[in-house]
Amino acid sequence: LVWDDNQGRPPWYNLHGELKEPFVIGLCGGSASGKTTVANKIIEQLGVPWVCMLSLDSFYKVLNAEQHEAAKRNEYNFDHPDSFDHDLAATILKKLKEGKSVQIPIYDFKSHSRLEQKKNLYGANVIIFEGIMAFAYKDLRDLMDMKVFVDADPDVRLSRRLKRDITERERDLVGVLQQYNTYVKPAFDQYIAPTMIYADIVVPRGGENNVAIDLIVRHVRTQLEQRGFNFREKLRYAHQGQPLP
Ligand code: C5P
């Protein structure tokens, strides 16, 4: 296989040797609203190689000893705009848009801390940036080409969160409910729901909403074509499962 549309250049350069800027989708919504499901469906249906998902969770600030103890007692507020290092997130997103290689911190919800290793990322065609506070900061919003807010019934979010935190994040029922009532629910009303006004599209019922996901995918494809991505070529690679040069 050759890059006949690109004269042998890697897929993220156009025929003039200029970088094709990756398309950034911002995905915001309350905790356990279905952001990851929506993101995975977009990735699957886009059929484009090199789509990467970047999570605001990776940029939770590192806690000191006292904050760490509070977190263990479910008494640390992880649902506040100040809990995230959004400057670092914006720097990394900007570098990715410029085609540069980046090192992304890996966050561990069980220990409330960053792991020692980092994830290396570069050369994405589409970047999905997701998080509860994804639209809370202007510097991050300005880097997004399309903003999608995932909406879900509050009861559905709470029940999903209970299940997930107990099975995947080593939490107990009483602690999850305490944290939810003290921090998570008020934060949704105060900081997350108001950012819906920045959204280009609001997706009710999260990952179940196939019509909304189809509309998003169509828009992203059109935008990528306008940036010089040749679709048939990319799809051919994607379907044949060939590693890219
Ligand atoms: O995956 P999701 O968007 O739900 O992740 C965000 C949630 O993770 C926040 O609502 C926050 O309460 C929770 N969190 C936590 N413990 C941490 C970091 C975040 O429970 N150490």
Side-chain angles (χ1 to χ4, degrees):
L1 278 170
V2 286
W3 292 104
D4 46 12
D5 66 326
N6 236 9
Q7 298 177 356
R9 291 185 186 89
W12 47 91
Y13 288 96
N14 67 19
L15 286 175
H16 310 292
E18 296 157 347
L19 183 80
K20 294 179 205 162
E21 198 173 89
F23 189 86
V24 180
I25 307 172
L27 205 56
C28 185
S31 177
S33 57
K35 298 185 290 293
T36 314
T37 312
V38 170
N40 285 335
K41 287 200 173 179
I42 294 173
I43 293 171
E44 196 185 298
Q45 288 181 32
L46 261 178
V48 179
W50 299 56
V51 180
C52 78
M53 185 135 86
L54 198 55
S55 177
L56 186 61
D57 290 345
S58 304
F59 302 95
Y60 264 116
K61 284 181 183 166
V62 177
L63 306 184
N64 62 30
E66 196 185 323
Q67 292 167 326
H68 212 264
E69 283 309 307
K72 281 202 238 165
R73 298 190 304 269
N74 306 297
E75 286 171 10
Y76 182 84
N77 190 358
F78 288 104
D79 296 76
H80 190 278
D82 292 344
S83 310
F84 297 93
D85 186 348
H86 65 100
D87 289 335
L88 180 62
T91 306
I92 283 185
L93 192 53
K94 201 156 172 272
K95 278 192 182 165
L96 271 174
K97 284 189 87 166
E98 291 164 357
K100 293 180 183 151
S101 166
V102 294
Q103 295 281 318
I104 298 165
I106 303 175
Y107 192 73
D108 176 31
F109 287 92
K110 294 176 191 160
S111 59
H112 311 285
S113 57
R114 281 185 195 169
L115 298 181
E116 278 196 14
Q117 65 267 42
K118 289 185 175 178
K119 203 169 119 187
N120 191 47
L121 215 67
Y122 70 98
N125 293 331
V126 178
I127 301 162
I128 301 183
F129 185 87
E130 68 85 21
I132 54 169
M133 305 270 167
F135 296 169
Y137 318 94
K138 187 176 183 310
D139 52 352
L140 277 170
R141 283 198 308 271
D142 288 347
L143 293 166
M144 297 168 185
D145 298 295
M146 180 189 199
K147 296 183 211 67
V148 178
F149 192 97
V150 181
D151 202 15
D153 181 273
D155 294 347
V156 172
R157 284 194 278 110
L158 173 57
S159 57
R160 277 203 205 125
R161 169 129 180 175
L162 269 173
K163 198 169 154 202
R164 180 195 66 191
D165 281 8
I166 293 169
T167 57
E168 296 169 25
R169 296 185 180 176
E170 294 184 358
R171 313 288 167 91
D172 61 78
L173 179 72
V174 175
V176 178
L177 289 174
Q178 179 193 323
Q179 188 187 354
Y180 189 85
N181 289 323
T182 317
Y183 304 115
V184 183
K185 188 174 160 48
F188 181 80
D189 299 331
Q190 194 174 351
Y191 302 112
I192 304 171
T195 63
M196 207 188 278
I197 55 160
Y198 299 115
D200 302 302
I201 293 187
V202 177
V203 180
R205 305 183 308 283
E208 294 165 28
N209 194 330
N210 291 325
V211 174
I213 290 162
D214 183 57
L215 287 170
I216 295 166
V217 167
R218 279 168 200 261
H219 177 74
V220 177
R221 285 187 170 184
T222 309
Q223 294 298 308
L224 286 174
E225 275 169 350
Q226 281 177 11
R227 288 178 188 195
F229 288 88
N230 179 323
F231 249 89
R232 232 168 298 147
E233 204 61 21
K234 300 298 166 299
L235 285 171
R236 199 160 56 133
Y237 270 88
H239 286 153
Q240 293 181 354
Q242 295 287 324
L244 293 167

